[in-house]
Amino acid sequence: MTSDPARPFGRVLSAMVTPFTDDGSIDLAGAQTLAAHLVDRGAHDGLVVSGTTGESPTVTDAEQRALLEAVLDAVGDRAAVVAGVGTNDTAHSIDKARDAARLGAHGLMVVTPYYSKPPQEGLLRHFTAVADATDLPVMLYDIPPRSGVPIEVDTLARAAEHPRIVAVKDAKGDLGAVAWTLARTDLAYYSGEDMLNLPLLALGAVGVVSVVGHLVGPRLAELVSAVEAGDLEKARAVNEHLLPVYTGIFRTQGVILVKAALRELGLPSGPVRPPMVDATPQQLDQLRTDLAAGGVIL
């Protein structure tokens, strides 16, 4: 776990997939192998487990507890392990947060409650209630294309008054709102939308929570370092080289194609769970082309 308060979860984190066996059951040994691969060889400071890329809506609470425990056992002594605990039920989210704290998670990620479309006051009460439930630092996850509701700047400013709400994973696509939030708060911003990694870092984000980090972790670390050093020419060059990877992984839902890529690389991933569907042969051919253009050979 990083000791830098300006970068509470490190610089590069992957939103880790949840490996399954061929019959669809959770693959805990595979999760440990993948986590160790990412941390030991992928320039990762941390991992987010049981986020959307981890297919959390289809993974039971018991499975999520077992997954978190397995990943902590594998890499918890050398990387920040952040548990996705957000749901659209505040009481359920509090229970999941307490479970994660009991198991030894280093932080919590709390997504905007989805489907219900609560007002901003409801969002604030939800986030602060979860933050009150443990002593762990909290990263809010702002992703209105999925949650239906953005976290407004004023709400973020009020949430930032809570001593344990320290960061935001941003996938809102509103650079103006990010700029205003950074101007008004000390929240640490993490890019949660790979295509916008460079502009968010240029605005002042401290790192990324990435899907493509499964494949290009070292280059994401290089991108962050270049921006921090003020070398925007290098940062633009790194980002341009990554564009085919960004595009390729998100031609359909990201977990589908990143799992397909991991399978091709011989790393644990397994199938996706319904209602997701595995990549078609045609999608896999296109993925190979996209990733090769970005320097990743399957």
Side-chain angles (χ1 to χ4, degrees), residues 25 31 225 233:
S25 58
S225 294
E233 183 176 355

Side-chain angles (χ1 to χ4, degrees), residues 16-28:
M16 198 179 98
V17 302
T18 300
F20 300 125
T21 62
D22 289 342
D23 67 4
S25 58
I26 196 164
D27 180 4
L28 295 178

Side-chain angles (χ1 to χ4, degrees), residues 42-63:
H44 286 74
D45 302 306
L47 302 170
V48 175
V49 297
S50 297
T52 310
T53 305
E55 299 177 75
S56 57
T58 66
V59 180
T60 68
D61 286 358
E63 288 175 322

Side-chain angles (χ1 to χ4, degrees), residues 153 174-181 203:
V153 174
D174 185 342
L175 297 178
V178 172
W180 269 113
T181 306
L203 278 173

Side-chain angles (χ1 to χ4, degrees), residues 8-293:
F9 303 106
R11 298 189 307 169
V12 177
L13 300 89
S14 270
M16 198 179 98
V17 302
T18 300
F20 300 125
T21 62
D22 289 342
D23 67 4
S25 58
I26 196 164
D27 180 4
L28 295 178
Q32 291 185 312
T33 298
L34 179 60
H37 168 83
L38 293 172
V39 171
D40 295 340
R41 287 173 278 179
H44 286 74
D45 302 306
L47 302 170
V48 175
V49 297
S50 297
T52 310
T53 305
E55 299 177 75
S56 57
T58 66
V59 180
T60 68
D61 286 358
E63 288 175 322
Q64 290 186 34
R65 288 191 292 270
L67 175 66
L68 177 60
E69 192 167 25
V71 172
L72 283 165
D73 285 346
V75 300
D77 61 341
R78 56 192 187 277
V81 178
V82 180
V85 300
T87 72
N88 60 354
D89 174 356
T90 302
H92 187 196
S93 301
I94 288 170
D95 287 344
K96 287 166 67 70
R98 288 174 174 159
D99 279 342
R102 177 178 54 82
L103 292 170
H106 302 127
L108 307 174
M109 187 177 73
V110 185
V111 71
T112 311
Y114 41 84
Y115 189 77
S116 304
K117 299 184 74 172
Q120 294 297 306
E121 184 63 29
L123 297 186
L124 182 66
R125 293 185 187 186
H126 176 84
F127 294 140
T128 55
V130 177
D132 283 340
T134 80
D135 293 329
L136 294 176
V138 172
M139 175 189 295
L140 304 183
Y141 185 12
D142 192 4
I143 183 167
R146 293 192 183 193
S147 69
V149 179
I151 312 175
E152 294 178 359
V153 174
D154 285 348
T155 305
L156 286 164
R158 293 173 66 194
E161 296 172 4
H162 194 290
R164 286 185 292 281
I165 296 177
V166 298
V168 178
K169 176 185 175 184
D170 183 84
K172 185 156 54 182
D174 185 342
L175 297 178
V178 172
W180 269 113
T181 306
L182 287 169
R184 292 181 55 184
T185 76
D186 292 326
L187 290 169
Y189 258 72
Y190 288 81
S191 173
E193 186 172 351
D194 280 309
M195 189 60 80
L196 295 182
N197 285 342
L198 177 56
L200 280 163
L201 289 166
L203 278 173
V206 300
V208 299
V209 178
S210 172
V211 177
V212 305
H214 287 86
L215 309 174
V216 292
R219 280 192 275 167
L220 292 176
E222 187 180 6
L223 176 65
V224 176
S225 294
V227 174
E228 286 182 343
D231 190 347
L232 292 184
E233 183 176 355
K234 180 179 180 181
R236 286 193 293 267
V238 173
N239 190 68
E240 184 174 326
H241 195 58
L242 287 169
L243 290 177
V245 183
Y246 296 159
T247 296
I249 289 295
F250 291 103
R251 287 187 185 273
T252 185
Q253 216 278 351
V255 65
I256 293 172
L257 291 181
V258 80
K259 275 196 161 184
L262 291 170
R263 284 195 298 273
E264 291 292 303
L265 291 168
L267 290 166
S269 63
V272 293
R273 280 183 174 174
M276 294 298 174
V277 292
D278 289 317
T280 65
Q282 295 79 10
Q283 288 172 330
L284 187 53
D285 285 344
Q286 180 64 60
L287 180 63
R288 291 191 183 101
T289 299
D290 290 329
L291 294 187

